[in-house]
């Protein structure tokens, strides 16, 4: 009689790390544990915390193996590199070791469950070096259960170690945290996950496109278990290759399986949003919906794109394995065209829209209405621009929505171009006070023939590219004008600060030459002429 075939094991269980070398993304914790074991400075209680699927329980089992490993010859001691072939290593891996007790706090929440652990901990280990208790989701214990555990957790018997794991460390009492050596397991970076998944598909004799693995890694959000579960599903979803033997996991299939919209289509949607093409925008949203893309996923894709543009504008490199050349170029173009204020406004409008779609009775309709609001509100001037319009007489009309004629008065006067350095500074001051202050103190006017401006700087502007930033603010303050700023090494007038100081010195000299002041100075040789505030003197008189 033939043996029954082995039942299929899901990838998340099959590829659990068997040693610390296979534990990805947690190098700092592994190094700390290795140093502690090597120096014999082992804590009596460890707490592993982190999001789901980053390896908390797996780490606890690896620590149990590291502490109880006896080596192939049976003479070894605690080690960060357990052999995996001795009886303790094998029995712990198979979950049958009598001295490594795993307890799920979600189903053993009461004080009686903890009392049984406390009573059993007093007895020596059956055959291993340490008796180890692994308590998963420890935050689920009741308040009384935590209180019952405190004393034993603080001073356990020499042969006992506690390994606690939780996804919600904020729910663990401070009294428990203070008795444990805490390890915060990090989210695993997407590039590390994609590399790990590449080894998994190779071992499973499955072909997969790099972009498909990158999409799975991004969808996993830092969780190896979540990523392996998605990969398992993607392999089942994949079509067989040409040789009818190896499935091929493609990026298109992964997007379809996860209900993700194509990145290129999301970029096109954002382009329509910024262009103000109402009809094309609604049609594109309906096309996504017909393809199975959830409205909430669509809003999230737009939010991720706006966030990526903002990071690029801030100078951060956000290149990822799944990012195409077209996407990088599009992000760079938008970052160059859009200012921080419009990007922040887009983000806030999309966040509001995402909240509405998430709770809506009619999600697709709410998505369309939210995006229409984003389209029209994004073209509105910001408060600073409105203030400038009011200050200059209110002759500039609010931009009209797409498909409508802008109703501006035919006799609206054009923005007056500055004719002096003081007027240039006044234009900049409403938008960038620090730049206006630098212009006043450190910029000497060489020539001004709007829209051409030539300056000499007495001190450099260190915050950013001076010419580009000044041109940007002048262009925004004078719509329809394209300014050109040039810097010279010599020539020009004094700076306004120098002019103020010169005028003050001339006024002082003139006052000192008056007969009354001369007589006062002669009568009181130690007297000084100081700048005064007549209003304050009269108030104090």
């Amino acid at each position: 009689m033939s043996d029954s075939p082995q039942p299929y094991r899901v990838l998340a269980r099959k590829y659990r790390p068997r040693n610390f070398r296979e534990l990805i993304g947690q190098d700092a914790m592994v190094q700390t544990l290795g140093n502690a074991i090597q120096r014999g400075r082992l804590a009596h209680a460890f707490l592993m915390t982190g999001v789901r699927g980053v390896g908390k329980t797996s780490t606890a089992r690896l620590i149990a193996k590291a502490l109880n490993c006896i080596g192939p010859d049976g003479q070894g001691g605690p080690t960060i590199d357990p052999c995996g072939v001795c009886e303790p290593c094998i029995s712990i891996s198979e979950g049958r070791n009598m001295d490594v007790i795993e307890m799920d706090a979600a189903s053993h929440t009461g004080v009686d469950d903890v009392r049984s652990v406390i009573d059993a901990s007093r007895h020596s280990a059956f055959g291993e070096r340490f008796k180890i208790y692994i308590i998963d989701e420890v935050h689920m214990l009741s308040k009384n259960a935590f209180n019952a555990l405190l004393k034993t957790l603080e001073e356990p018997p020499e042969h006992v170690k506690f390994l606690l794991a939780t996804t919600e460390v904020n729910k663990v009492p401070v009294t428990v945290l203070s008795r444990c050596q805490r390890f915060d397991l990090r989210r695993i970076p997407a590039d590390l996950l994609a590399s790990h998944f590449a080894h998994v598909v190779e071992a499973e004799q499955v072909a997969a496109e790099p972009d498909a693995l990158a999409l799975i890694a991004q969808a996993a959000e830092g969780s190896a278990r979540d990523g392996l579960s998605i990969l398992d599903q993607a392999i089942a979803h994949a079509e067989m290759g040409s040789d009818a033997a190896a499935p091929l996991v493609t990026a298109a299939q992964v997007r379809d399986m996860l209900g993700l919209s194509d990145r290129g289509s999301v970029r096109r949607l954002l382009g329509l949003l910024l262009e103000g093409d109402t009809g094309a925008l609604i049609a594109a949203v309906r096309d996504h919906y017909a393809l199975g893309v959830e409205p909430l996923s669509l809003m999230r894709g737009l939010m991720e794109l706006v966030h990526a543009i903002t990071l690029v504008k801030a100078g951060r490199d956000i290149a990822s394995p799944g990012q195409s050349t077209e996407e990088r170029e599009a992000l760079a173009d938008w970052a160059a065209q859009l200012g921080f204020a419009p990007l922040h406004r887009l983000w806030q409008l999309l966040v509001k829209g995402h909240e509405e779609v998430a709770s809506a009775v009619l999600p697709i309709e709410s998505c369309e209405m939210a995006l229409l609001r984003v389209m029209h509100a994004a073209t509105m001037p910001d408060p600073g621009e409105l203030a400038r319009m009011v200050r200059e007489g209110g002759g500039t009309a609010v931009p009209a929505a797409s498909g409508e004629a802008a109703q501006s008065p035919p006799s609206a006067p054009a923005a007056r171009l500055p004719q002096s350095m003081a007027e240039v500074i006044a234009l900049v001051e409403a938008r960038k006070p620090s730049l206006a202050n630098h212009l006043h103190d450190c910029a000497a006017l060489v020539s001004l023939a709007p829209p051409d401006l030539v300056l000499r700087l007495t001190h450099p502007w260190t915050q950013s590219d001076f010419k580009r930033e000044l041109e940007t603010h002048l262009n925004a303050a004078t719509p329809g004008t394209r300014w050109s700023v040039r810097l010279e090494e010599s020539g020009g007038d004094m700076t306004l600060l120098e002019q103020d100081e010169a005028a003050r010195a001339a006024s002082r000299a003139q006052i000192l030459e008056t007969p009354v002041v001369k007589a006062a100075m002669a009568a009181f040789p130690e007297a000084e002429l100081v700048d005064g505030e007549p209003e304050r003197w009269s108030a104090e008189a």
Side-chain angles (χ1 to χ4, degrees):
M1 184 176 179
S2 61
D3 295 335
S4 61
Q6 288 288 337
Y8 176 71
R9 295 181 68 199
V10 296
L11 298 181
R13 292 186 59 196
K14 187 175 180 180
Y15 290 96
R16 270 181 175 159
R18 293 164 295 182
N19 51 59
F20 284 106
R21 292 188 304 276
E22 295 179 2
L23 186 66
I24 60 174
Q26 312 300 341
D27 296 342
M29 182 200 66
V30 173
Q31 182 178 355
T32 303
L33 278 173
N35 293 341
I37 291 174
Q38 185 177 3
R39 297 167 186 168
R41 302 177 64 88
L42 289 171
H44 57 270
F46 298 87
L47 174 70
M48 272 70 66
T49 178
V51 299
R52 78 224 175 270
V54 292
K56 299 182 296 296
T57 307
S58 296
T59 299
R61 292 171 182 162
L62 291 177
I63 293 175
K65 289 168 65 174
L67 297 182
N68 281 331
C69 177
I70 59 175
D73 58 359
Q75 304 299 317
T79 174
I80 194 62
D81 191 17
C83 66
V85 297
C86 66
E87 175 55 28
C89 285
I90 294 173
S91 58
I92 292 172
S93 295
E94 295 176 354
R96 56 179 176 82
N97 192 292
M98 305 228 5
D99 289 321
V100 178
I101 301 98
E102 292 193 32
M103 185 178 107
D104 177 20
S107 54
H108 299 81
T109 61
V111 67
D112 291 336
D113 299 305
V114 171
R115 283 190 183 131
S116 65
V117 171
I118 295 171
D119 292 339
S121 68
R122 297 193 182 99
H123 304 293
S124 299
F126 288 99
E128 309 303 347
R129 186 179 295 113
F130 294 106
K131 179 178 282 189
I132 296 174
Y133 289 93
I134 299 175
I135 305 179
D136 201 7
E137 298 302 337
V138 70
H139 66 274
M140 299 291 287
L141 290 178
S142 66
K143 181 179 179 180
N144 289 337
F146 273 124
N147 290 336
L149 185 62
L150 283 179
K151 187 61 177 177
T152 304
L153 195 61
E154 183 175 13
E155 297 178 1
E158 292 294 327
H159 62 276
V160 173
K161 301 290 184 186
F162 285 97
L163 306 179
L164 314 180
T166 179
T167 53
E168 300 185 49
V169 71
N170 58 301
K171 294 184 179 180
V172 179
V174 177
T175 50
V176 173
L177 295 177
S178 65
R179 289 164 166 83
C180 300
Q181 189 171 102
R182 174 174 167 177
F183 291 107
D184 290 82
L185 277 68
R186 302 176 179 179
R187 289 182 184 270
I188 305 170
D191 55 342
L192 275 182
L193 282 176
S195 177
H196 178 56
F197 298 157
H199 292 304
V200 171
V201 295
E202 183 179 358
E204 291 290 308
Q205 298 182 347
V206 174
E209 295 178 353
D211 284 353
L213 298 181
L215 285 172
I216 293 172
Q218 290 164 2
E221 297 182 341
S223 168
R225 184 176 63 232
D226 285 9
L228 287 171
S229 298
I230 297 171
L231 179 60
D232 222 340
Q233 183 181 356
I235 293 173
H237 185 76
E239 298 178 0
M240 302 301 288
S242 57
D243 58 358
L248 174 63
V249 179
T250 65
Q253 290 168 342
V254 171
R255 289 191 186 97
D256 180 57
M257 180 189 77
L258 296 177
L260 299 174
S261 55
D262 178 65
R263 288 188 178 189
S265 64
V266 174
R267 292 198 301 274
R268 288 189 290 274
L269 191 63
L270 181 61
L272 295 173
L273 201 63
L274 296 175
E275 292 169 7
D277 194 336
T278 307
L281 176 70
I282 296 298
V285 171
R286 286 290 173 172
D287 288 343
H288 281 79
Y289 188 65
L291 291 172
V293 179
E294 291 296 327
L296 204 60
S297 175
L298 198 61
M299 296 296 294
R300 179 171 177 171
L302 287 168
M303 289 171 63
E304 290 173 346
L305 190 52
V306 170
H307 178 251
I309 295 169
T310 307
L311 291 182
V312 171
K313 187 167 186 66
R316 181 174 174 183
D317 183 10
I318 60 168
S320 65
Q323 195 177 66
S324 64
T325 303
E326 293 80 4
E327 183 172 358
R328 284 194 293 271
E329 292 176 351
L331 292 177
D333 288 344
W334 273 322
Q337 296 171 16
L338 297 172
F340 280 112
L343 285 170
H344 294 324
R345 191 156 60 243
L346 274 173
W347 174 260
Q348 292 296 335
L349 291 167
L350 288 171
V351 168
K352 178 65 175 175
H354 185 277
E355 294 173 355
E356 292 176 358
V357 174
S359 59
V361 178
L362 302 172
I364 184 60
E365 288 80 1
S366 296
C367 179
E368 291 173 343
M369 296 300 292
L371 292 182
L372 288 175
R373 182 174 66 233
V374 172
M375 175 187 292
H376 296 126
T379 62
M380 297 290 289
D382 59 29
E385 182 70 11
L386 287 173
R388 186 187 65 80
M389 292 177 183
V390 172
R391 188 169 59 252
E392 295 180 359
T396 305
V398 173
S402 173
E404 302 174 5
Q407 301 298 321
S408 59
S411 59
R416 179 178 177 275
L417 297 181
Q419 301 300 314
S420 67
M421 189 62 182
E423 292 182 1
V424 169
I425 294 172
L427 285 180
V428 177
E429 188 169 16
R431 297 174 173 274
K432 185 82 171 181
S434 59
L435 181 59
N437 187 61
H438 192 77
L439 287 170
H440 179 276
D441 293 352
C442 308
L445 180 64
V446 177
S447 68
L448 173 61
D452 295 322
L453 175 63
V454 184
L455 301 172
R456 172 179 56 83
L457 292 181
T458 60
H459 293 86
W461 170 260
T462 58
Q463 296 184 22
S464 60
D465 186 330
F466 175 81
K467 289 175 51 180
R468 185 171 62 183
E469 184 159 12
L470 180 55
E471 288 172 350
T472 299
H473 290 298
L474 289 175
N475 290 340
T478 55
T481 305
R482 195 73 178 174
W483 283 84
S484 173
V485 177
R486 194 171 78 251
L487 298 180
E488 295 287 351
E489 297 293 333
S490 59
D493 299 331
M494 294 186 293
T495 68
L496 292 191
L497 176 64
E498 292 170 339
Q499 293 178 30
D500 292 343
E501 291 175 344
R504 191 178 299 111
S507 176
R508 179 185 179 87
Q510 185 177 1
I511 293 173
L512 289 173
E513 290 299 317
T514 60
V516 174
V517 174
K518 276 187 173 183
M521 287 297 190
F524 303 97
E526 297 182 359
E528 294 183 24
L529 180 65
V530 297
D531 293 333
E533 299 178 20
E535 295 84 355
R536 193 185 68 186
W537 295 345
S538 60
E540 294 176 352

